[in-house]
Amino acid sequence: LAADTVIFSVSLPGLLVGRVIFPHVALGEAQLLLQRDAEGRRNWVLRPEDEKKDEPVLVHELTVNRGRLDVKDVPSDTDVALDLQTTGDSTYGVAFAGKGRIKGIPLSGKGAGGALMNLRDRSSPYPLSFTAAIGKGSVTFEGTVTGLVTLSAVDRRFGVSGKNVSTLADALDLSFPNTAPYKVSGHLRREGKLWSYNEFSGTVGRSDLRGELSVDFAGKRPLLASWSRRVLDWVRLTLWSWTGWP
């Protein structure tokens, strides 16, 4: 971490039990690097014996003035630089813009999110809005996410477009078949193991897509709960690519 100005407080009880907890951090002109090397070692782990513990550095409140965050993950060929600025907006407490690559695929985008102190809250919806270009595709997102790491609940307007959905899916750690140029928009929700894409419409190649779709991943095989007849063949092909299920 490098910064022109740094104001912070540290929890001493946390340090006594091996936890690094910052109740408040204010950064000015700051640059922060989070890096995982080829052996999986993380530069934010202070002691080697903590390498396998799921106890990251915890910040309760964070404000940033003209900050820069670099995330480098060698195993996944990810290298992203984010410019950050906290704001006084009651909903979107931080604005960001970034570029780089994720899993080797070029990435650029900008948007806004809730207060930085709420990023690790796994139980409350976190407001998020952004547009991004990933490879030859694009993504728009506006809504809330509960648990940014686990995506335990999602409620948002979600749109995607590009030349081939499979290249976008690779960056998102999903498996989709090759497609013709596509553009789809709808309302995406997740509740437990049930994902639904409601009131969606768009095109894939010359085919029009419109309707409702939900997939339940609670069982050993995904269960297609509902669909529009216009997307049945595409959905079957997608589920086969996920699971081998005909």
Side-chain angles (χ1 to χ4, degrees), residues 11 110 119 125 144 169 174 182 217 223 225 243:
S11 171
K110 62 180 180 179
L119 280 171
T144 62
L174 299 174
Y182 63 95
F217 290 92
L223 176 63
T243 65

Side-chain angles (χ1 to χ4, degrees), residues 4-163:
D4 283 357
T5 60
V6 180
I7 302 173
F8 64 91
S9 57
V10 179
S11 171
L12 293 179
L15 289 177
L16 293 176
V17 296
R19 294 296 310 276
V20 180
I21 301 174
F22 296 100
H24 174 76
V25 178
L27 304 175
E29 302 276 354
Q31 296 184 0
L32 176 63
L33 171 65
L34 298 179
Q35 184 171 18
R36 185 166 65 120
D37 65 19
E39 286 72 40
R41 292 174 299 204
R42 300 162 290 174
N43 70 339
W44 61 91
V45 175
L46 300 182
R47 299 183 304 178
E49 57 267 30
D50 289 338
E51 285 283 351
K52 297 182 179 181
K53 293 183 180 180
D54 186 23
E55 295 184 352
V57 172
L58 181 62
V59 177
H60 288 304
E61 183 178 9
L62 176 63
T63 58
V64 178
N65 180 35
R66 300 176 64 181
R68 169 75 174 256
L69 172 64
D70 290 289
V71 179
K72 299 179 184 292
D73 188 70
V74 175
S76 66
D77 191 19
T78 294
D79 189 344
V80 178
L82 289 173
D83 293 321
L84 304 171
Q85 177 68 53
T86 51
T87 71
D89 189 277
S90 59
T91 301
Y92 297 110
V94 61
F96 60 85
K99 61 181 180 179
R101 66 180 185 274
I102 179 170
K103 295 188 175 180
I105 300 173
L107 166 73
S108 64
K110 62 180 180 179
L116 289 172
M117 63 181 294
N118 295 334
L119 280 171
R120 291 195 174 274
D121 188 337
R122 299 182 180 182
S123 60
S124 301
Y126 181 82
L128 188 62
S129 175
F130 69 82
T131 60
I134 304 177
K136 296 182 179 180
S138 64
V139 174
T140 61
F141 178 116
E142 184 172 4
T144 62
V145 175
T146 302
L148 281 178
V149 176
T150 61
L151 298 180
S152 58
V154 177
D155 187 0
R156 66 194 181 188
R157 191 72 184 174
F158 182 74
V160 293
S161 62
K163 293 185 177 181

